[in-house]
Amino acid sequence: MMEDLDLGFDEQDRGEKGKHRRGAVRKRQGGSGGGGRGKTVLALLLALVLLGGIGGGAFYGFDRVQSYFVTPDYDGAGTGEVTVEIKRGALIADMANALVAADVVKSAKAFIEAAEANARSKNIQPGTYKLRKQMSGESAVTAMLDLKNRIVNGVTIPEGRTAKNVYKLLSEKTKIPVKDFEAAAKDPIARGVPDWWFKRTDNKKVKPSIEGFLYPDTYEIPPKATAESILELMVENFLSVTQEMQFADRVQKERGGISPYEALIVASLAQAEAGNKDDLGKVARVAYNRVFGEFPCNCLEMDVTVNYYLELTGQKTKTSGQMTAADLDNPKNPYNRKLKGLVPTPINNPGKQAMEGAMDPPPGKWLFFVAIDREGHSEFAETYEEHRKNEAKAKEAGII
């Protein structure tokens, strides 16, 4: 009877030793022989019975039998982020091995089968890809065919860089002169920033600036890119991220009547002042409390606004200890830390977490904060007396 046992192989499968096959079980259509999924299940059951007949200790082999019929694969589009390099001349199997090593796919077989099932997989090019961990084979193939996930000529813009600093980074990578980026940025609306963003509720006049809208991320720069097209790409990314966050809608509904632009200014202040991402929301809350709360001058009193003006005017930035009285209270400085209300524009280009902190800050009546450890964590205080005690902790830790 054993020689009549059909485990779902055909004669062609038996004769193709050494060649890669799409799966150990071929799907058959029509005919009284049936085949297909029913025969696969029957084969698994028979294999289990045979192994069980040998003895309980033989069950360890069931996983090996099962993996022959069922390809190990993750479900869905994965999580997190990882970059994977595909070397020039790599075959599909080489790509699969690189993805397994980075835990993008569960098995080389999962990716190979998905690639064979997708006629466009031959278009996957060498280069560096931004992917997710633990993707299904099919999702990995789809992601690698999406050009936005391929970093060919990438430049990374860190969070919290000013526009002037961004232009310098872009120029170094692309060889496009800084002055071209400065010229392209003069009209942020032409670069894609909707005019409704430049609204304030504090009656201060707005002079549109691209500062704050150059979203920090890693960008693939096309070969024939211009200063205009690169800035437009960054603005488009900003609009996509903030729309996904519902930033403008939530700010208008939840932040007591301030505009999305004012919240973006606060996000940039938090990005500059917070020494640790854990404190971004709390620093945003301090900014709101100082300007719109019971702070005597309703001013920001933040040195980072002074440094922004220094950089904007081509001067060297300073530490708090280096700043003179003239620096701190310069009447010609529109970013003067003692002026009532928020500064005219964002002072850098904040990341997503800083914007989340400004959109939805934790509740608190804090008016002061100071860094107290080497990791940049701050202590927050409602009164100046409490703040002085926190400053003593910072001095004891050698932070200030």
Side-chain angles (χ1 to χ4, degrees), residues 82-394:
V82 64
T83 56
V84 180
E85 182 183 4
I86 301 300
K87 297 186 181 299
R88 187 173 298 279
L91 303 175
I92 290 293
D94 300 319
M95 297 180 190
N97 290 334
L99 296 175
V100 170
D103 196 29
V104 173
V105 296
K106 192 169 188 178
S107 69
K109 189 176 179 183
F111 180 79
I112 291 169
E113 290 184 353
E116 288 182 348
N118 190 323
R120 294 181 56 236
S121 65
K122 62 180 180 294
N123 296 324
I124 297 176
Q125 300 294 315
T128 302
Y129 290 82
K130 183 166 65 174
L131 303 170
R132 295 184 174 186
K133 288 196 170 187
Q134 300 188 354
M135 308 175 77
S136 70
E138 182 181 0
S139 294
V141 170
T142 301
M144 295 178 74
L145 289 169
D146 189 337
L147 292 179
K148 74 179 183 182
N149 294 320
R150 182 168 172 252
I151 306 171
V152 178
N153 184 26
V155 57
T156 298
I157 306 301
E159 296 171 345
R161 296 298 178 95
T162 63
K164 285 178 72 71
N165 193 273
V166 169
Y167 305 152
K168 191 179 298 184
L169 289 173
L170 292 172
S171 180
E172 290 171 357
K173 184 67 179 180
T174 64
K175 308 308 177 188
I176 298 171
V178 167
K179 63 184 174 117
D180 288 7
F181 288 104
E182 291 174 337
K186 284 183 178 178
D187 188 350
I189 294 174
R191 300 286 75 80
V193 182
D195 59 359
W196 61 261
W197 265 98
F198 300 109
K199 308 280 185 197
R200 296 179 67 134
T201 59
D202 60 4
N203 298 320
K204 288 191 177 183
K205 188 177 179 180
V206 179
K207 182 180 179 181
S209 166
I210 207 165
E211 193 78 78
F213 298 97
L214 302 177
Y215 187 71
D217 203 346
T218 298
Y219 293 90
E220 180 183 335
I221 308 299
K224 296 182 180 180
T226 63
E228 290 83 0
S229 67
I230 293 171
L231 297 188
E232 287 165 10
L233 178 66
M234 299 178 75
V235 169
E236 182 182 1
N237 197 10
F238 169 87
L239 296 175
S240 176
V241 170
T242 51
Q243 183 176 12
E244 183 181 343
M245 294 169 60
Q246 297 183 311
F247 182 84
D249 289 341
R250 289 193 59 187
V251 165
Q252 290 177 106
K253 290 177 182 176
E254 301 172 19
R255 293 278 63 79
I258 73 164
S259 72
Y261 191 59
E262 290 165 318
L264 183 61
I265 292 172
V266 170
S268 74
L269 295 168
Q271 188 76 74
E273 282 281 7
N276 190 286
K277 290 186 176 183
D278 295 341
D279 293 333
L280 286 166
K282 287 185 175 182
V283 174
R285 174 58 73 185
V286 169
Y288 286 131
N289 289 346
R290 287 185 180 184
V291 172
F292 302 111
E294 298 179 2
F295 204 50
C297 64
N298 288 127
C299 58
L300 285 168
E301 287 277 7
M302 292 182 178
D303 296 348
V304 290
T305 66
V306 175
N307 265 331
Y308 181 70
Y309 176 71
L310 293 175
E311 183 178 347
L312 205 61
T313 53
Q315 302 178 63
K316 189 176 180 180
T317 59
K318 301 178 180 182
T319 65
S320 297
Q322 293 171 333
M323 289 183 182
T324 65
D327 292 326
L328 294 172
D329 192 13
N330 178 358
K332 295 181 180 180
N333 177 7
Y335 295 85
N336 189 318
R337 68 201 291 274
K338 292 184 178 294
L339 290 178
K340 185 176 181 179
L342 291 171
V343 289
T345 69
I347 63 169
N348 57 47
N349 295 279
K352 184 177 181 180
Q353 284 181 275
M355 288 193 286
E356 287 173 339
M359 176 181 72
D360 186 23
K365 296 181 179 180
W366 310 295
L367 292 172
F368 307 95
F369 62 95
V370 62
I372 58 157
D373 61 31
R374 299 292 177 187
E375 287 72 42
H377 292 99
S378 293
E379 284 282 1
F380 293 78
E382 295 182 16
T383 68
Y384 188 65
E385 290 72 21
E386 292 174 352
H387 179 59
R388 293 290 291 172
K389 293 178 182 178
N390 292 335
E391 284 185 322
K393 292 181 186 177

